Amino acid sequence: MTVWNPTIEMMPKKELEKLQLKLLKIQVRRLYENSPFYHSKMRMAGIIPDDIRTLDDVSKLPFMTKKDLREGYPNKLMMTDRGGLLRYHASSGTTGKATIVGYTKNDLENWSESLARAMASFGLGSKDIIQVSNTYGLFSGGLGFHYATEKLGATVIPASTGNTDRQIDLICDLGVTAMACTPSYLMYLGEVAEKKGISIKKDTNLRYGLLGGEPWSDRMRDRIYESMGIKGMNCFGASELSGPLFMECAEQDGIHFWRDLALLEIVDPDTGETLGPGEKGEMVITMLQKEAFPMVRYRMGDITSMYEEDCPCGRPHPRIARITGRVDDMIIIRGINVFPSQVEHTLMQHSELGNEFQLVVDRKGHLDSMLVRVELKPEAFTDNIIELNALREHISNRLKGVLSISANVELVQPGTLPRFEGKAKRVVDRREY
Ligand SMILES: [Zn+2]
């Protein structure tokens, strides 16, 4: 198996840690001296750059949260002291406002490098034909895999999402060997192909799925392999960081986080205390080389554990176990982050609606769907179906505008949705992972 960047990927752990400390010191000093946002955060925490003497000192730095991203909209967290911005991407935020992430030339370079290393680590190379069926656009999935594939020297097919018949034609006619998409879409595509009398396993060259953007399980991985002969490779990404970024190696046992790019911590979500290897907690990431949109001790909200044991592949870069949940109530639907708070914000702008609502997430035929059930106010409750349908449609359109995915809306009678003492349980996730 080829190693894309042997110098970094195979560097002994001790040396990698030295490199991490060097990069951390540079980044912290740069932010302290040039970013009003980070400067005031560090001042408030009583930290100066000289306080960072060992890697463990990272825990002295203040956390960064989604709230910071929200308050920093659109450009307060952006830094361009090392050259201009080359690109913007955006993702949905917690209350409807997007998070805007900027990239310099080096940021784009590191992003592609990270994914190219990963793709090579499980066997992809210049002979491969990779169909990128993630969304191209403001969402960073499509272009992330696109440029990484080009960097790898493989052939890229920028298929983007939708038009499954054409996706299948491309796979068959161009001899596609790997496909980047969500796991549920790959399952769906397999079913559509079967209905057309095409067996992905027997009739195509498709052998790898570069899969992420939604929660999935090893059970689903087995099913994909059994039914389609495709190895599903798990990918970690987050739009606040750089879209798809880290992946598993051929061992398929945890996602490698490259030490030269990211410093990974797992913390107790309640106390913020750093946890040891194997302990389950919230993932906290410090990106060591990001220029335009730095991320220092960013609380990802994902619950997982980290392991430091040597991987049989020989790369001394830590791995994370499958993400088992969230500390907040964010849900991921078709690669899009959805926060109940966004939905609430939109619903509450309608005087006809009461305060109670529920998000029901389902998976039908492998595709995720979302239903928003909301109570009408007693005075807005009517037998006039036409009026209610118009209201329903209006809310559905507004939600689509805010969330970037379509949602069915059901208006229900006042007092019919469950009430909660304490924290409301807004999400009913019926998907089977
Ligand atoms: Zn490995």
Side-chain angles (χ1 to χ4, degrees):
M1 191 110 359
T2 51
V3 180
W4 175 255
N5 185 339
T7 317
I8 291 289
E9 287 178 58
M10 295 305 185
M11 191 182 273
K13 189 179 160 196
K14 282 240 151 40
E15 278 180 52
L16 278 167
E17 285 177 341
K18 251 192 238 167
L19 175 64
Q20 283 186 302
L21 180 58
K22 189 178 128 193
L23 291 169
L24 179 67
K25 284 181 174 175
I26 292 172
Q27 184 73 314
V28 168
R29 185 168 298 282
R30 172 176 167 254
L31 298 180
Y32 187 80
E33 289 173 359
N34 299 294
S35 160
F37 167 78
Y38 283 99
H39 186 88
S40 77
K41 271 204 105 146
M42 284 188 232
R43 284 291 293 268
M44 277 190 322
I47 297 292
I48 56 166
D50 284 341
D51 292 331
I52 304 297
R53 292 187 206 98
T54 69
L55 269 187
D56 289 342
D57 288 338
V58 72
S59 63
K60 294 179 182 167
L61 292 164
F63 287 121
M64 210 176 144
T65 63
K66 286 213 158 54
K67 187 166 166 269
D68 294 317
L69 302 189
R70 194 163 60 232
E71 289 170 359
Y73 179 87
N75 262 323
K76 266 188 216 124
L77 306 185
M78 218 75 79
M79 293 185 65
T80 53
D81 59 309
R82 288 197 189 164
L85 285 175
L86 258 60
R87 200 194 295 169
Y88 278 124
H89 279 290
S91 72
S92 51
T94 44
T95 50
K97 266 270 191 279
T99 298
I100 310 278
V101 178
Y103 300 78
T104 64
K105 190 165 189 293
N106 285 337
D107 292 334
L108 293 173
E109 179 59 33
N110 282 331
W111 184 9
S112 301
E113 163 74 19
S114 180
L115 274 181
R117 282 181 205 168
M119 289 198 271
S121 79
F122 55 80
L124 296 182
S126 60
K127 290 198 177 69
D128 282 288
I129 301 170
I130 301 173
Q131 183 154 321
V132 178
S133 305
N134 302 107
T135 310
Y136 277 65
L138 275 176
F139 177 70
S140 51
L143 287 170
F145 275 114
H146 182 99
Y147 287 107
T149 301
E150 290 193 346
K151 190 171 179 68
L152 189 67
T155 309
V156 63
I157 302 176
S160 197
T161 45
N163 202 341
T164 304
D165 284 338
R166 192 179 62 190
Q167 302 261 6
I168 294 167
D169 285 346
L170 290 168
I171 291 167
C172 294
D173 300 341
L174 298 179
V176 170
T177 55
M179 183 165 161
C181 59
T182 59
S184 55
Y185 184 67
L186 187 60
M187 294 285 278
Y188 172 72
L189 181 135
E191 273 190 3
V192 175
E194 212 158 277
K195 276 186 202 143
K196 290 162 74 100
I198 298 165
S199 158
I200 298 285
K201 202 185 216 166
K202 294 196 189 99
D203 305 329
T204 76
N205 296 334
L206 191 53
R207 292 299 164 259
Y208 288 99
L210 286 38
L211 307 179
E214 66 191 13
W216 65 302
S217 63
D218 284 339
R219 217 179 53 153
M220 190 151 174
R221 165 149 50 206
D222 293 343
R223 263 195 271 160
I224 287 172
Y225 188 70
E226 278 156 26
S227 62
M228 283 183 270
I230 293 174
K231 279 193 179 175
M233 308 305 297
N234 196 9
C235 178
F236 171 83
S239 42
E240 310 98 296
L241 300 178
S242 293
L245 197 56
F246 302 113
M247 294 187 73
E248 303 174 299
C249 64
E251 301 297 326
Q252 292 190 307
D253 186 19
I255 293 172
H256 278 290
F257 278 59
W258 308 119
R259 286 188 202 268
D260 60 319
L261 298 177
L263 180 58
L264 191 61
E265 298 168 82
I266 304 292
V267 304
D268 182 316
D270 297 322
T271 64
E273 219 167 289
T274 310
L275 300 176
E279 287 184 280
K280 221 181 224 195
E282 181 180 359
M283 192 200 296
V284 174
I285 288 187
T286 299
M287 295 301 286
L288 293 169
Q289 298 196 41
K290 251 160 92 67
E291 293 182 341
F293 198 76
M295 280 279 178
V296 172
R297 294 205 92 206
Y298 181 64
R299 295 183 76 142
M300 291 296 312
D302 295 311
I303 299 289
T304 182
S305 59
M306 169 168 68
Y307 33 120
E308 288 269 7
E309 298 99 270
D310 295 342
C311 181
C313 80
R315 292 172 179 80
H317 296 263
R319 288 169 287 162
I320 59 157
R322 277 214 190 255
I323 290 163
T324 52
R326 297 274 315 166
V327 294
D328 54 23
D329 46 9
M330 184 184 92
I331 39 175
I332 305 176
I333 302 172
R334 281 177 259 145
I336 308 279
N337 297 349
V338 174
F339 297 90
S341 54
Q342 289 174 298
V343 176
E344 180 169 334
H345 192 75
T346 310
L347 296 178
M348 294 310 131
Q349 290 164 358
H350 295 83
S351 57
E352 302 91 336
L353 304 179
N355 295 327
E356 297 303 322
F357 70 97
Q358 197 178 47
L359 306 184
V360 184
V361 189
D362 225 327
R363 185 166 285 171
K364 285 178 193 131
H366 305 302
L367 286 186
D368 293 349
S369 64
M370 183 169 76
L371 171 71
V372 176
R373 308 182 70 216
V374 56
E375 283 186 9
L376 284 161
K377 275 190 189 153
E379 60 270 30
F381 189 68
T382 158
D383 292 337
N384 188 333
I385 301 288
I386 296 168
E387 212 173 281
L388 287 181
N389 275 341
L391 177 63
R392 211 163 50 85
E393 202 152 303
H394 172 74
I395 297 166
S396 177
N397 288 336
R398 288 291 302 274
L399 284 171
K400 185 161 189 192
V402 172
L403 305 174
S404 311
I405 57 164
S406 44
N408 293 316
V409 174
E410 187 186 326
L411 301 171
V412 302
Q413 289 190 34
T416 48
L417 289 177
R419 264 50 176 180
F420 299 91
E421 285 175 29
K423 195 173 157 47
K425 194 177 174 311
R426 299 291 186 200
V427 180
V428 181
D429 196 339
R430 292 188 185 143
R431 290 176 292 186
E432 235 184 84
Y433 299 141

